[in-house]
Amino acid sequence: FEWLFKINFLSIHALLEDLVVKMDKGKIVFISSLESIVASPTSAAYSASKRAINSYADSLRRLYPNLSVINILPGFIDTDMTKDLPEKAKQDLLNKIPLKRFANPKEVANAVAFLLSDEASYITGESLKVNGGMYM
């Protein structure tokens, strides 16, 4: 995973000059995870890698104040990653989510679309939790 993060890190830095210097504006929306702030004891490496994304976003916010940097922290999403959870584990998680369901990927995509839209032009420096109320 280190090489993947390094590629993303270098890709973003390559784009920053155009976004910030030439255009004097821009938006970046990172996708992290709820587990970056509520770590699971069984997924320490995953939680740590997502926390690194949060820290990177925080650094960019301070380094480029005219750049809108937003971080989305999804909770549990109905994907291949969660479909094989044991039924008891899934039920335990659902009991912690006030909406009593996992999100579908489109719900996270909708949050990204909103944050990239003109309607969100005054939002920056935020971490948006898309988690059905699991962490509030």
Side-chain angles (χ1 to χ4, degrees):
F1 292 112
E2 180 181 331
W3 63 270
L4 183 59
F5 180 76
K6 188 179 284 187
I7 289 170
N8 288 332
F9 177 84
L10 294 173
S11 299
I12 290 168
H13 270 301
L15 295 172
L16 283 176
E17 184 177 331
D18 284 340
L19 285 173
V20 178
V21 176
K22 295 178 183 172
M23 296 171 39
D24 194 40
K25 63 179 178 178
K27 290 185 180 186
I28 296 176
V29 176
F30 287 96
I31 307 288
S32 178
S33 172
L34 181 62
E35 286 202 34
S36 67
I37 57 174
V38 184
S40 166
T42 59
S43 57
Y46 179 81
S47 297
S49 70
K50 297 305 180 180
R51 182 65 195 151
I53 293 171
N54 298 358
S55 295
Y56 184 52
D58 289 343
S59 295
L60 289 179
R61 290 176 186 131
R62 288 170 177 77
L63 187 60
Y64 301 105
N66 59 325
L67 181 67
S68 177
V69 181
I70 302 156
N71 201 11
I72 292 183
L73 289 82
F76 290 90
I77 311 298
D78 192 14
T79 64
D80 289 343
M81 191 172 166
T82 57
K83 76 175 183 179
D84 293 330
L85 284 171
E87 194 53 42
K88 175 157 177 20
K90 188 180 235 180
Q91 204 53 53
D92 288 346
L93 290 169
L94 290 172
N95 288 335
K96 295 176 185 175
I97 302 171
L99 294 182
K100 300 295 182 205
R101 64 179 180 84
F102 291 168
N104 68 60
K106 187 163 175 58
E107 290 172 307
V108 177
N110 289 340
V112 172
F114 168 71
L115 292 169
L116 291 174
S117 74
D118 289 339
E119 285 80 14
S121 62
Y122 202 62
I123 299 173
T124 187
E126 292 298 325
S127 290
L128 177 65
K129 297 173 190 86
V130 180
N131 60 40
M134 185 175 181
Y135 185 77
M136 55 179 169

